[in-house]
Amino acid sequence: MSDSQERRPRTTTASPAPGELSRRTLVGLGAATALGVTTGGALAPRALAATSADTPSAASPVTVAFSDPTGLYPVGGDSPATPDLLVTVNSPAATSGTITWSIAARLGEPLRGGTETFTAAAGTPGTVTIPLGSLDPDHYTVTAAVTDDAGTRLFADTLGLGVIRPAAEGRRPQSVFGMGIRPESTPAVTKLIAQRIGVKWTRGIDAVQPDFVSPARGVFWQQPRIDAARAEIAEWHRHGIETLGGINYNMSWNVQPGPNGEPLKLYQNRPKDMAAHVEMVYHAIAPLQDLVTNWELWNEPWVHGWTWKTGDAQDYRDMCRLVWERVKPEYPHVNLIGGGSVSYNRDIVYARGSKDTGYIDGSVNHAYGYPDATQYAMTKTQIKMDKLWSRTNGRAGQWQTELGTATRFNFADLPKEEADYAVARTLAPTYLLHMLAGAEERSPIRIFWFSLSYDKGYSGDDFNIYDVTTRTPLPAVVAYATMTNLLEDCELLGELYPDAKSTWGFLFRGADGKGRAAVYADQLYDGTDEHQDAGHTGTLTLDDARGIRAYDHLGRRLTDGTSRRVTLALRPWEVVYLDTDLTPEALTHTLTDGARFDYDAPLQVGPLPFVKPLDRTSTIDVRVENVSPGATDALITLTPPDGWQTDRRTVPVGGLRPGESRVVSFPVTRYRLDDHNRYAIGYDVTVPGRPGLHQKGSRTVQVAYLPFRQITVGGSASQWNDVLPVTMTNVSAAGDTRTYTFQAAWDDAFLYVRALIEDDAQVSNPPFPADEYQFPFKADSIQLAFDAVTDRTEDLLAGDPHYEKCLRSVSHLFVATLATGGRSELHRQLAPGTNYQTYYPTNAPLATPLGPMDAQPTVGTEGRVLVSRDDGAGLTRYEIALAWSQLPELAAAVKKAPPAGVTPMTFAVQVQDSGTTGRGATYWTTQSAPPVSGCYNFAPFWGTGAQFTGGRVDTRWGIGH
């Protein structure tokens, strides 16, 4: 898409209508959880409602299909495919007319087309076979229109067609490549599709249902049903596919009633009789354990959520322990897989100090959403937790049983056809980020894209990679086949560019000992992740490319290995695969020392906030980071705000190493104060040796400064009069703006924050004592995040080579909210001693308590908080005082500062505007600097760290003396 095309405003968009989901909500909560909340658990496996795609429609006299019902044509070597289009007319009356058709690759111009005539006798099917010509690997669209001689259009549609590289044959129990294969679909064709595209794992066994296994208390399945289950597993095996067994929730007679005694569906609550449930699990596993050794215990056991409405965290741990004690003595080789997301596992399964933790052999995560580097960060965290805290040190590895992107949720701004290709772009990067975490931590991992159904709709079918109306493949199918063809039977050795935020390079050793690689440029968040022009775009030139065959993400061959020097295009999330005759060591040299990356924007440039009041000693500071894998020089030309002058306008920056960041200062010789504390600073960066490259941009910065003031929470607003505010803006899709204003100060006792939040409607939780399961960050709230510690004992990723690239976490996080009844609450969400957990009532107390702090409007050992609401003005006022005891590391730095000095502080805020008409989340981190991916940052932690959810906290403030 060109830069001139219209883009959605680069801010948080308005929340969807009731029952719908924003993309940020979907990714933040995990699709299954979010959809479950909005649709009553509609993604419950094997417990599905029919959708409109299942509704019979008026029979058409015309069917159009391909000579292969899957629409997939595997080809090896340089042999092209020669598919046929079959047009069948079956009319009660004799009919004749014309068929107009064309074929195109990737929505491009037609490659060829034509018009054919047909004649069909009355009541007798007549088929016209149309050869589509020779086709190389790629995804194609075939458009067909059938018109009778009277001019009546009988059919018009576009079908997908995939020419794919062949998949590895046979079973591969160690493979990472799984797929969520839907049971609603025609089994024979669906299994054939999965086999052809290289799927090696499926989730769930349709014949193993709790009501089949235990139809009544003390009654268990007999040999005919067991034989049916074994036959189903054997059929998967014949297609080269392993099965992850799944305990598909409850027996219908054993569901705990709802909070008011109401009956609930199988998946909506914990088992009523846990002992009976455990017996069902045992009897499900026992007759199948020789065929299936890995068993998932429950899908998303979300405490007081869509599957565990009245159950608590200890109930889930109890269930895992009881199953373990029943199964393991007889079947120690069986692996029990538990949890629901990385953060859920930390909060529940491995809750520090709690009873009966870690009774699993491997853990589950659902990493829906864009392939932001936070997926890699959270997966590394998952592995480390399993190795540290599982009873078997995580011997079964990680099971990413649901992940993916969908056009409606992730690419809603694009036309449907373009969005389908955008989904395909995200597939391989998602797998590669997870695979890298597993390889680096030496832990097995299986990854299940969601989802595949050949010809039936289902709840959640926005994620389907087949078009069930035409029964033909979408581009993601071809992307999956390309990935498995080139990477199956390969060992991932590591990542080539750990310092370069623009680029990911994955080095493999093939079964033949030869080197392979996958390289892609990363996307950037600028208000949306939908449009590629926001990401890193450029070229990769290889000085010696002989013996290197390159393929793009849809299997199109780019180089044949005969050229000495090649240049490959790099676009965001579009993987380039390299299949080579080189050793992995030689390929490493070729892709590092022997490669040149020429990005359109090799540098990340960001004017920084001022950290003290403006005066004649002020400087305009610009952070310059080399995001490219190669060293570079730069020349920065500054455009100061209107009415300002600096003593120099251009500064050279030499020898920036990959990943190196420097702050360049421009001393100010004249300045002009802005009443709104907003200063637009422009820049133009050139790179020697890159004639014509101008990396231009601008950013509005503010003075972010805490003066020394003695403040009384709830006192007169005038005490804030001379404290300079910073502002955040939220622009909805309709273009209307909300302004959020923050002021901060400090004295010897407290760090103070005052916020004025424009908000049309107040959304509040019940007071904490009335319902301890309500998360404060889900209601209207503000979050205060600090990165203030050097001791990162609880940060499991500290010291990792990729830490600065994408793994950093915040150290302290506080949430302020207004509960119903006008009760002000201040919650501790994170601090040293909280183990990065979220508060659950039945967990053991932590060294640093989670949950509500000792903070009231006028008293409190840990702070003060007063949140007040003015419905008439549509304004919520937050007044917070954090006792320095809550930020001891920062307090020590302030104490050591000289009397006239400025103490640097890494700090950011988030505003949460909840409700069906709310604006969602707005982040200081994305408004004051280019966001950077991280791990644990703003809450909720199960959707944290990605650029589009605020990224890592690295924004600077100053504390004055």
Side-chain angles (χ1 to χ4, degrees), residues 172-342:
R172 298 288 198 281
Q174 300 307 312
S175 176
V176 303
F177 298 118
M179 177 68 68
I181 302 174
R182 302 306 305 181
E184 300 86 352
S185 190
T186 301
V189 180
T190 304
K191 287 183 173 66
L192 179 58
I193 292 167
Q195 180 181 26
R196 283 190 178 174
I197 67 176
V199 174
K200 296 302 177 185
W201 281 92
T202 186
R203 181 192 186 199
I205 304 163
D206 207 36
V208 181
Q209 300 299 323
D211 276 339
F212 297 169
V213 177
S214 181
R217 187 180 305 277
V219 178
F220 302 102
W221 57 349
Q222 300 302 306
Q223 202 61 45
R225 280 201 180 274
I226 293 172
D227 289 344
R230 294 182 68 86
E232 181 184 340
I233 297 163
E235 182 67 13
W236 285 116
H237 287 175
R238 280 192 287 275
H239 287 82
I241 298 172
E242 306 296 322
T243 52
L244 167 63
I247 304 302
N248 193 22
Y249 305 106
N250 260 320
M251 297 84 79
S252 57
W253 54 268
N254 196 36
V255 180
Q256 180 78 16
N260 299 313
E262 69 274 19
L264 296 175
K265 296 178 182 178
L266 298 178
Y267 51 83
Q268 289 183 310
N269 212 352
R270 55 151 286 176
K272 179 168 54 178
D273 182 338
M274 197 68 79
H277 180 80
V278 169
E279 282 304 304
M280 179 272 294
V281 174
Y282 169 82
H283 282 277
I285 293 173
L288 306 178
Q289 47 77 32
D290 58 322
L291 298 177
V292 178
T293 57
N294 299 288
W295 290 82
E296 185 179 2
L297 296 181
W298 193 285
N299 177 56
E300 294 195 358
W302 210 260
V303 173
H304 280 224
W306 74 286
T307 69
W308 209 259
K309 282 187 178 296
T310 64
D312 60 37
Q314 191 57 51
D315 290 332
Y316 181 74
R317 290 190 290 267
D318 290 345
M319 183 188 77
C320 292
R321 177 183 60 82
L322 291 168
V323 170
W324 183 284
E325 292 173 347
R326 185 68 176 95
V327 172
K328 288 287 187 173
E330 292 184 50
Y331 307 114
H333 65 288
V334 166
N335 291 318
L336 302 176
I337 314 301
S341 77
V342 175

Side-chain angles (χ1 to χ4, degrees), residues 6 210 225 264 375 479 545 548 619 621 658 703 706 775 797 849 898 910 912 918 955:
E6 185 176 350
R225 280 201 180 274
L264 296 175
Q375 291 188 341
I548 298 177
T619 59
D621 295 340
V703 178
L706 286 71
F775 299 118
L797 304 184
Q910 175 197 320
Q912 177 65 37
T955 44

Side-chain angles (χ1 to χ4, degrees), residues 30-208:
T33 298
L35 287 174
V37 168
T38 57
T39 65
L43 280 186
R46 324 298 196 251
L48 302 158
T51 68
S52 58
D54 299 314
T55 303
S57 57
S60 170
V62 176
T63 58
V64 178
F66 296 110
S67 48
D68 189 294
T70 68
L72 295 175
Y73 293 83
V75 294
D78 294 324
S79 300
T82 56
D84 293 329
L85 184 69
L86 307 181
V87 181
T88 300
V89 181
N90 186 9
S91 175
T95 308
S96 60
T98 58
I99 304 166
T100 303
W101 66 275
S102 65
I103 183 170
R106 310 187 189 190
L107 304 179
E109 293 298 318
L111 302 173
R112 60 186 71 95
T115 300
E116 306 285 340
T117 60
F118 72 88
T119 300
T124 303
T127 299
V128 177
T129 299
I130 302 173
L132 297 176
S134 296
L135 300 173
D136 293 321
D138 211 334
H139 183 267
Y140 300 87
T141 51
V142 178
T143 300
V146 180
T147 307
D148 66 18
D149 287 338
T152 301
R153 179 65 57 87
L154 304 178
F155 176 92
D157 209 344
T158 299
L159 293 73
L161 172 67
V163 179
I164 58 176
R165 300 185 179 278
E169 295 183 358
R171 295 166 62 184
R172 298 288 198 281
Q174 300 307 312
S175 176
V176 303
F177 298 118
M179 177 68 68
I181 302 174
R182 302 306 305 181
E184 300 86 352
S185 190
T186 301
V189 180
T190 304
K191 287 183 173 66
L192 179 58
I193 292 167
Q195 180 181 26
R196 283 190 178 174
I197 67 176
V199 174
K200 296 302 177 185
W201 281 92
T202 186
R203 181 192 186 199
I205 304 163
D206 207 36
V208 181

Side-chain angles (χ1 to χ4, degrees), residues 10-11 525 604-611 621-623 677-679 681 683 698-704 726-729 905-910 922-932 938 950 952-957:
R10 297 180 177 185
T11 58
Y525 176 74
Q604 182 73 272
V605 183
L608 298 173
F610 300 104
V611 293
D621 295 340
V622 179
R623 183 162 56 202
N677 187 23
R678 299 181 69 84
Y679 301 91
I681 298 171
Y683 56 85
S698 65
R699 180 170 289 275
T700 297
V701 303
Q702 303 180 55
V703 178
V726 300
T727 55
M728 295 161 56
T729 56
M905 177 176 74
T906 303
F907 172 63
V909 295
Q910 175 197 320
T922 305
Y923 307 94
W924 175 255
T925 48
T926 61
Q927 296 210 355
S928 64
V932 178
F938 293 109
R952 83 184 197 196
V953 174
D954 58 2
T955 44
R956 69 176 195 172
W957 290 61

Side-chain angles (χ1 to χ4, degrees), residues 839-875:
Y839 177 83
Y840 284 87
T842 58
N843 285 355
L846 295 168
T848 303
L850 285 169
M853 300 170 63
D854 183 15
Q856 292 83 42
T858 58
V859 296
T861 60
E862 296 175 320
R864 310 280 188 272
V865 60
L866 177 62
V867 187
S868 54
R869 173 68 185 170
D870 185 340
D871 285 323
L875 190 72

Side-chain angles (χ1 to χ4, degrees), residues 285 338 503 718 750 891:
I285 293 173
T503 313
S718 63
F750 298 102

Side-chain angles (χ1 to χ4, degrees), residues 445-460:
I445 188 167
R446 278 87 177 189
I447 307 159
F448 296 72
W449 190 265
F450 189 88
S451 51
L452 166 64
S453 176
Y454 168 64
D455 60 351
K456 296 292 191 306
Y458 53 95
S459 184

